[in-house]
């Protein structure tokens, strides 16, 4: 998740889009998908600026409005810092405190958010048109070497745990590690304990062996919450068809992300997202595909200042190896033609226009994730 504090003006996006690249030029809006507001929709990695800004920040009203407009029933939100080797007692304490801080933010906005602890809470969020926040960590670093911390974090509200981020940790290899070493012995202990504590295992960011071995180690279905298809874009953050098929065969779900990884070069758009969704449908079947945007809800105001700062950020990510060398730094992490809070509804309309049934779209938007969560949580 990237913390964004800037917001969009629709006219500004259209002007920049048409000027910077003709592929972004305004096109006819797809028809709205009528069942959306009655659908249980889940973003398998997302967030809101409310978790990062102070209560009196001027951006609060816009962030709250985005929560009202999105139409989501659930968002998996990553509480623990990702990509850091946080193994110290101080880091453990800070993670516990951050969980409590985020719960306090949810409590300040009960009209638009609620904490999800079980499947009944997901249904409640849908019924009351609130966004259910599902706590996850992007990496097992807060556990240190102590699997008992899994139960402690569960008591606090953790319901999904992603085993690795991009790098290697004590559990296994992330996708950016050339060694592709898979799950460690400790990793197998962690998966076993997650199953016992009824916490969903997420294998996003895993190396191929980590993903395969994680799927096989778990006694219940797992997620690859935010990813894409390596058959379409051969970069490490994507997942090979073999692992996608194994995931589906064992009941799991893969969420298609919105990031530039969806194509080897150039700016990703809704067309790339749909391309990956449709490929995953062919490989996995309609019961095993979802969406994990890896984006905050609030749309981005694409000002010249934002473009400048964003380019520098992408250059830094290329330098850190998050994106491969040679990648064009003039990219947005989001798809410019889905730069609105209600992006799921827009995408659903696009899928419908391509002939996908209402039942299939409902599964992709969140029904498949809800099935796995219900099975694991009990």
């Amino acid at each position: 998740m990237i913390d964004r504090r800037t917001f969009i003006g629709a006219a500004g996006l259209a002007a920049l889009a048409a000027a910077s690249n003709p592929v972004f030029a305004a096109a006819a809006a797809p028809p709205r998908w009528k069942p959306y507001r009655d659908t249980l929709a889940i973003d398998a990695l997302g967030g809101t600026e409310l978790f990062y800004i102070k209560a009196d920040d001027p951006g609060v009203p816009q962030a709250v409005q985005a929560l009202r407009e999105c139409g989501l029933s659930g968002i998996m939100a990553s509480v623990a810092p990702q990509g850091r080797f946080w193994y110290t007692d101080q880091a453990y304490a800070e993670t516990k405190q951050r969980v409590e801080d985020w719960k306090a933010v949810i409590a300040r906005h009960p009209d638009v958010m609620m904490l999800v602890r079980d499947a009944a809470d997901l249904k409640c969020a849908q019924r009351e048109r609130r966004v259910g926040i599902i706590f996850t960590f992007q990496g097992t670093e807060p556990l240190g070497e102590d699997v008992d911390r899994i139960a402690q974090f569960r008591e606090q509200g953790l319901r999904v745990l992603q085993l690795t981020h991009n790098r290697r940790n004590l559990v296994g290899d992330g996708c950016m590690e050339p060694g592709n070493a898979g799950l460690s012995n400790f990793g197998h202990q962690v998966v076993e304990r997650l199953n016992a504590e009824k916490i969903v295992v997420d294998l996003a960011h895993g190396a191929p062996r980590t993903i395969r071995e994680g799927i096989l180690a778990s006694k219940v279905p797992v997620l690859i919450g935010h990813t894409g298809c390596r058959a379409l874009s051969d970069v490490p953050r994507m997942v090979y068809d073999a692992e996608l098929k194994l995931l589906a065969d064992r009941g799991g779900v893969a969420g298609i992300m919105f990031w530039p990884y969806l194509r080897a070069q150039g700016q990703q758009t809704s067309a790339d997202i749909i391309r990956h969704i449709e490929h995953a449908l062919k490989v996995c079947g309609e019961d095993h595909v979802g969406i994990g945007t890896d984006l905050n809800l609030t749309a981005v105001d694409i000002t010249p200042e934002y473009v400048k700062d964003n380019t520098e950020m992408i250059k830094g990510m290329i330098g850190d190896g998050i994106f491969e060398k040679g990648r064009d730094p003039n990219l947005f992490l989001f798809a410019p033609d889905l730069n609105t809070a209600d992006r799921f509804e827009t995408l659903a309309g696009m899928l419908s226009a391509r002939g996908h049934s209402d039942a299939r779209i409902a599964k992709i938007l969140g029904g498949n994730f809800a099935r796995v969560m219900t099975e694991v949580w009990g």
Side-chain angles (χ1 to χ4, degrees):
M1 275 303 306
I2 298 296
D3 174 15
R4 296 191 184 86
R5 299 182 53 182
T6 50
F7 306 91
I8 185 167
L13 171 59
L16 177 72
S20 61
N21 190 327
V23 77
F24 300 158
R32 290 296 184 184
W33 189 60
K34 292 181 180 179
Y36 179 68
R37 296 292 158 168
D38 297 315
T39 297
L40 198 161
I42 299 172
D43 187 343
L45 193 69
T48 167
E49 286 82 2
L50 294 176
F51 291 136
Y52 307 108
I53 59 180
K54 294 181 179 179
D56 59 353
D57 190 287
V60 167
Q62 291 152 306
V64 169
Q65 186 61 25
L67 285 160
R68 290 197 178 101
E69 293 175 356
C70 71
L72 294 171
S73 302
I75 292 177
M76 282 167 47
S78 181
V79 185
Q82 56 268 15
R84 300 183 189 176
F85 293 137
W86 269 36
Y87 298 125
T88 66
D89 288 341
Q90 178 184 352
Y92 169 56
E94 289 181 9
T95 301
K96 291 194 298 180
Q97 184 59 52
R98 182 173 296 194
V99 174
E100 295 306 311
D101 291 344
W102 281 31
K103 287 161 70 173
V105 171
I106 295 170
R108 281 203 303 270
H109 300 278
D111 56 326
V112 290
M113 286 195 293
M114 61 178 287
L115 180 65
V116 170
R117 291 180 177 269
D118 54 33
D121 286 340
L122 266 181
K123 293 179 180 178
C124 178
Q126 180 190 12
R127 183 174 62 251
E128 297 180 0
R129 299 190 184 278
R130 293 191 285 169
V131 179
I133 303 299
I134 306 161
F135 283 160
T136 185
F137 297 165
Q138 282 202 87
T140 50
E141 284 81 352
L143 304 181
E145 298 181 67
D146 187 355
V147 294
D148 289 337
R149 290 181 180 178
I150 293 172
Q152 297 169 27
F153 282 124
R154 189 186 194 283
E155 181 65 25
Q156 280 193 284
L158 185 71
R159 288 298 179 270
V160 181
L161 184 57
Q162 181 179 304
L163 297 189
T164 67
H165 198 251
N166 291 334
R167 301 190 295 186
R168 174 178 295 156
N169 63 18
L170 298 181
V171 162
D173 270 11
C175 61
M176 300 302 182
E177 292 289 347
N180 190 27
L183 277 188
S184 65
N185 289 333
F186 180 63
H188 283 274
Q189 294 174 27
V190 167
V191 171
E192 182 178 6
R193 188 61 178 270
L194 290 171
N195 287 173
E197 296 293 343
K198 299 183 178 181
I199 293 176
V200 178
V201 174
D202 190 344
L203 297 168
H205 285 266
R209 273 190 63 191
T210 302
I211 291 174
R212 172 170 285 275
E213 293 171 9
I215 294 169
L216 294 173
S218 180
K219 294 180 174 62
V220 292
V222 304
L223 307 179
I224 307 176
H226 58 296
T227 189
C229 306
R230 196 154 180 175
L232 301 182
S233 179
D234 190 12
V235 298
R237 266 295 280 119
M238 303 289 92
V239 178
Y240 289 114
D241 284 358
E243 280 67 47
L244 290 173
K245 181 67 165 57
L246 178 64
L247 176 82
D249 288 345
R250 296 176 68 91
V253 180
I256 301 303
M257 69 191 312
F258 281 23
W259 272 41
Y261 295 116
L262 297 180
R263 54 191 304 161
Q265 192 61 269
Q267 179 67 57
Q268 82 284 7
T269 68
S270 60
D272 297 293
I273 296 164
I274 291 171
R275 190 165 60 101
H276 281 257
I277 288 174
E278 292 182 339
H279 182 84
L281 288 169
K282 292 177 182 177
V283 174
C284 302
E286 66 179 34
D287 294 323
H288 306 284
V289 181
I291 300 169
T293 67
D294 201 4
L295 299 170
N296 279 338
L297 278 176
T298 309
V300 177
D301 186 1
I302 308 177
T303 63
E305 292 78 13
Y306 176 85
V307 172
K308 179 181 178 181
D309 291 344
N310 181 78
T311 299
E312 291 305 311
M313 180 185 72
I314 298 296
K315 287 179 179 177
M317 296 171 81
I318 294 170
D320 291 341
I322 296 172
F323 291 121
E324 64 279 7
K325 292 181 179 179
R327 170 77 73 161
D328 181 359
N330 298 302
L331 292 174
F332 300 129
L333 295 181
F334 54 91
D337 59 342
L338 291 175
N339 188 27
T340 57
D342 60 350
R343 58 189 70 128
F344 271 52
E345 184 172 8
T346 302
L347 186 60
M350 293 175 174
L351 290 170
S352 181
R354 291 179 61 81
H356 296 281
S357 70
D358 287 352
R360 172 180 288 175
I361 294 169
K363 291 178 182 180
I364 295 168
L365 294 189
N368 290 334
F369 285 132
R371 170 184 57 79
V372 171
M373 291 171 181
T374 299
E375 180 174 344
V376 175
W377 295 340

